[in-house]
Amino acid sequence: MITTTIVLPVLTGLALFLFGMKLMETALQRWAGPRLQLWLERFTRTPVRGLATGTVLTAALQSSTAITVIAIGLVGAGVLTFPRTLGVILGTNIGTCLTTELIGLSLGGIGLPVLLASAAVWLASWFAGPLPQGRAPSVIATQPLAATTGSPATIGGRSWLRSVRYGSLAVSGFSLVLLGIEIMQTIGPALQSRGLFAWFVLQAQHSLLWGVIAGAAVTALVHSSAAVIAMAMGLAAVQGIPVELGVAITIGANVGTCVTALIAGMSSSRAGRYVAWSHILLNVGGAVLFYPFIHQLVSLSALLASDASEQIARSQTIFNIVCSLLALPLCYLNMWKRLEFRSQ
């Protein structure tokens, strides 16, 4: 009974969600690949410009982890300096809010029609012929700038076909995300009838630290804060968990997502590890700062949205924007340049 009502829907929904996120991320990186490193190098000369660039690129690629890992790779390759990535790291936290805001719109009902339409467009794009061959995006973060910006033929030739093909593929990925969330939301009634889940909710009402720890642990396991936040939003939407617990899980998910950056930094240079640790300090510091004010954060988000899942999305947005803006002045300290010099 537990297998069919809880385990199977969670695994199926989570698999669709993660596959959809990866498909969307890969498609968007393929589309932006020849230009991505050029944009990062050109628009990160000040922390404010880096914040804006990190926000836009993360919102476009739908993956803060992708931008963070690319930034670590660029620093390790000597293309970017560590101080120039600080603003980018702040921007990735803001840009990633677009995912949760879109999920909060409760668009699950349109998932299947959008999937069928986008898949049809993607299949039709193959009748227009092959794309011009260019350098794979996977090597962007490790090659010098001149070697990866691409020739005009690579970047400009038949760019409309590249946009159509990878754009439709990205939309297909997002529709799978919506379908995955819709499947995971079906477990709400079954969870409410289980004593163990009720015990967890009861403990979390005494201390929301349980929710923070759970969010961090599960995110570190699945390597997707968006998936964990989506599950929390889905459970809150069906009254499976209170909004306060959902916000606590969301804050914990922001901490758990640092694991991927830490793994990427371990194989990079010392400057690359500095980038990873700056990402960790931002998210952990933000969690410590906001944890005592979770109830106030929920009250503020309730003024901006009435639906439980939307309140969690607003809380995530407020949390990331405030943390990034508070940390932005620190990016201008001269100590980062001295730290960069010592790492060389």
Side-chain angles (χ1 to χ4, degrees):
M1 188 67 177
I2 296 179
T3 302
T4 56
T5 59
I6 298 179
V7 177
L8 189 58
V10 166
L11 293 180
T12 304
L14 184 60
L16 277 177
F17 186 100
L18 293 176
F19 179 72
M21 286 293 294
K22 192 63 180 177
L23 180 63
M24 181 169 53
E25 174 189 333
T26 302
L28 291 170
Q29 285 191 59
R30 289 279 181 177
W31 170 74
R35 305 173 179 88
L36 185 55
Q37 180 178 330
L38 180 63
W39 291 337
L40 280 173
E41 196 278 336
R42 180 178 297 174
F43 299 113
T44 58
R45 290 173 184 168
T46 66
V48 170
R49 292 177 68 178
L51 182 145
T53 302
T55 299
V56 171
L57 291 180
T58 302
L61 296 183
Q62 291 291 288
S63 175
S64 61
T65 301
I67 301 300
T68 302
V69 170
I70 289 173
I72 292 172
L74 292 176
V75 171
V79 176
L80 289 181
T81 61
F82 164 62
R84 291 179 64 171
T85 64
L86 292 174
V88 176
I89 297 301
L90 300 182
T92 58
N93 275 22
I94 298 177
T96 194
C97 297
L98 178 62
T99 305
T100 51
E101 289 291 347
L102 289 175
I103 293 172
L105 296 177
S106 302
L107 302 174
I110 68 172
L112 185 57
V114 170
L115 175 62
L116 295 175
S118 58
V121 173
W122 179 76
L123 288 173
S125 72
W126 286 94
F127 291 99
L131 294 174
Q133 295 299 314
R135 190 178 295 270
S138 59
V139 301
I140 290 174
T142 59
Q143 296 294 327
L145 180 62
T148 56
T149 52
S151 63
T154 300
I155 297 177
R158 310 188 73 180
S159 59
W160 66 270
L161 181 58
R162 177 181 294 274
S163 298
V164 169
R165 184 168 300 175
Y166 290 131
S168 60
L169 199 61
V171 173
S172 297
F174 184 66
S175 63
L176 289 175
V177 167
L178 296 179
L179 289 173
I181 294 171
E182 195 171 17
I183 292 173
M184 286 189 287
Q185 286 180 340
T186 62
I187 69 173
L191 283 176
Q192 289 178 321
S193 64
R194 300 294 168 182
L196 180 61
F197 186 75
W199 177 84
F200 172 76
V201 173
L202 180 63
Q203 295 301 316
Q205 289 175 347
H206 294 301
S207 175
L208 291 174
L209 186 60
W210 283 84
V212 175
I213 294 173
V218 177
T219 301
L221 181 64
V222 301
H223 291 277
S224 175
S225 60
V228 175
I229 295 172
M231 283 192 287
M233 293 168 65
L235 290 173
V238 295
Q239 288 79 47
I241 60 174
V243 175
E244 288 81 3
L245 179 55
V247 173
I249 292 173
T250 298
I251 292 176
N254 282 274
V255 176
T257 195
C258 297
V259 171
T260 306
L262 181 61
I263 293 173
M266 290 173 61
S267 60
S268 183
S269 64
R270 181 180 296 181
R273 290 194 292 273
Y274 288 160
V275 178
W277 279 108
S278 66
H279 178 65
I280 294 170
L281 289 175
L282 171 66
N283 285 5
V284 173
V288 172
L289 176 65
F290 268 85
Y291 176 72
F293 305 103
I294 288 180
H295 295 290
Q296 288 79 3
L297 180 59
V298 172
S299 299
L300 178 58
S301 64
L303 298 176
L304 304 175
S306 56
D307 183 76
S309 61
E310 291 184 11
Q311 289 177 23
I312 294 176
R314 298 295 182 278
S315 298
Q316 157 84 344
T317 301
I318 295 170
F319 169 78
N320 282 334
I321 291 177
V322 171
C323 289
S324 293
L325 292 181
L326 288 177
L328 182 60
L330 301 178
C331 298
Y332 286 90
L333 297 177
N334 289 327
M335 61 175 290
W336 305 120
K337 295 181 179 179
R338 293 196 297 269
L339 191 64
E340 172 70 18
F341 177 76
R342 292 176 183 176
S343 67
Q344 293 177 346

